[in-house]
Structure formats: structure tokens, C-alpha cells
């Protein structure tokens, strides 16, 4: 009986962790408007649509695609993936997203905000809003 109880506890814990990962993947699905990018310590800069002279948005789809638009013209359509991994800047486990040949730490993700951090030595930060 104790083994059965332990089995159900283990399944419940596993299910709750899986649901959390699925929720993160599901919550990124939407259209995100670029607000600004901030360079890392090796290349400090701040770029915005106003300073760059263009608007950018990314659309993460439920079928694992990311579509990038510049001034409302599609410029890229590629797959994306979300997985747990180690962040370069702090060596801690984070949700990572990989698309367009780069991997980013998902620093902030909620109903209105998406902040991703380049998972490399530069550690540039890009901020999007819904």
C-alpha cells in the first residue's frame, strides 16, 4: 500500500512539473511587439523602434513556428523550441527558447511582457510587449 501511495505522489509531482512547462510554452504563443534592446557589458547600447527606424514584431505560433516582421513585412519564418537549460551568465537552470539560430534565456514572461536574454557572453536583452 505504501508503494502505491508513493507511486501516486511521484506521478502527481511529475504531472505538475510537466504542466508548468506546457504553460510556459503556451503563454509565449501570441504576437509580441519589440519595445527595446539593451546590449550587454561588452557592447552597451539601447535600441528602440524610434532610434532604429523600424518596427519589429514576432509571432510565436502554437505549431512551433516563429514569424518575424519588420515594418509589417514578413522577413523570417522558422521553428522555435523551448527547453530547460543552463544560462550562460549565471550557470543556473532557466527556460530557454531557441529560434533563428540563437538561444535565449526567457527572463520574463507574463500576459503582457516577454524579455529574453542572449544566452552567450554578450547577454543582450530584448524586451517585447503584447
Amino acid at each position: 500500500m505504501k508503494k502505491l501511495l508513493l507511486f501516486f505522489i511521484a506521478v502527481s509531482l511529475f504531472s505538475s512539473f510537466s504542466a508548468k512547462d506546457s504553460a510556459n510554452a503556451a503563454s509565449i504563443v501570441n504576437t509580441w511587439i519589440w519595445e527595446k534592446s539593451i546590449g550587454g557589458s561588452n557592447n552597451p547600447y539601447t535600441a528602440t523602434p524610434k532610434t532604429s527606424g523600424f518596427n519589429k514584431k514576432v509571432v510565436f505560433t502554437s505549431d512551433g513556428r516563429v514569424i518575424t516582421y519588420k515594418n509589417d513585412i514578413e522577413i523570417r519564418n522558422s521553428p522555435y523550441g523551448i527547453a530547460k537549460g543552463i544560462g550562460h551568465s549565471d550557470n543556473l537552470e532557466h527556460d530557454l527558447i531557441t529560434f533563428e539560430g540563437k538561444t535565449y534565456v526567457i527572463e520574463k514572461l507574463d500576459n503582457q511582457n516577454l524579455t529574453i536574454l542572449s544566452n552567450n557572453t554578450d547577454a543582450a536583452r530584448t524586451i517585447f510587449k503584447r
Side-chain angles (χ1 to χ4, degrees):
M1 186 67 157
K2 288 183 182 181
K3 288 182 183 180
L4 186 60
L5 180 60
L6 288 174
F7 173 76
F8 283 118
I9 291 172
V11 168
S12 297
L13 287 173
F14 178 74
S15 298
S16 66
F17 290 128
S18 296
K20 182 179 178 188
D21 291 343
S22 298
N24 286 342
S27 62
I28 202 163
V29 173
N30 212 319
T31 299
W32 297 95
I33 308 298
W34 175 53
E35 185 173 90
K36 69 179 166 180
S37 296
I38 304 165
S41 59
N42 295 337
N43 186 15
Y45 66 88
T46 300
T48 66
K50 186 175 181 177
T51 62
S52 299
F54 62 87
N55 294 313
K56 180 179 175 182
K57 69 180 174 183
V58 292
V59 179
F60 291 97
T61 67
S62 59
D63 64 347
R65 306 288 302 173
V66 58
I67 306 164
T68 304
Y69 295 87
K70 183 177 178 180
N71 291 332
D72 294 321
I73 297 170
E74 183 179 325
I75 59 170
R76 275 186 228 95
N77 186 326
S78 59
Y80 74 90
I82 297 177
K84 293 284 186 189
I86 301 299
H88 185 275
S89 61
D90 60 8
N91 289 317
L92 297 175
E93 186 177 66
H94 298 278
D95 287 325
L96 303 179
I97 185 164
T98 301
F99 64 97
E100 297 176 357
K102 297 179 183 173
T103 300
Y104 304 89
V105 172
I106 299 175
E107 189 174 61
K108 182 176 186 178
L109 176 59
D110 62 31
N111 287 336
Q112 297 298 315
N113 305 286
L114 170 63
T115 302
I116 56 177
L117 182 66
S118 297
N119 198 26
N120 56 33
T121 55
D122 179 40
R125 181 173 279 108
T126 304
I127 301 166
F128 296 92
K129 299 284 185 184
R130 280 198 200 203

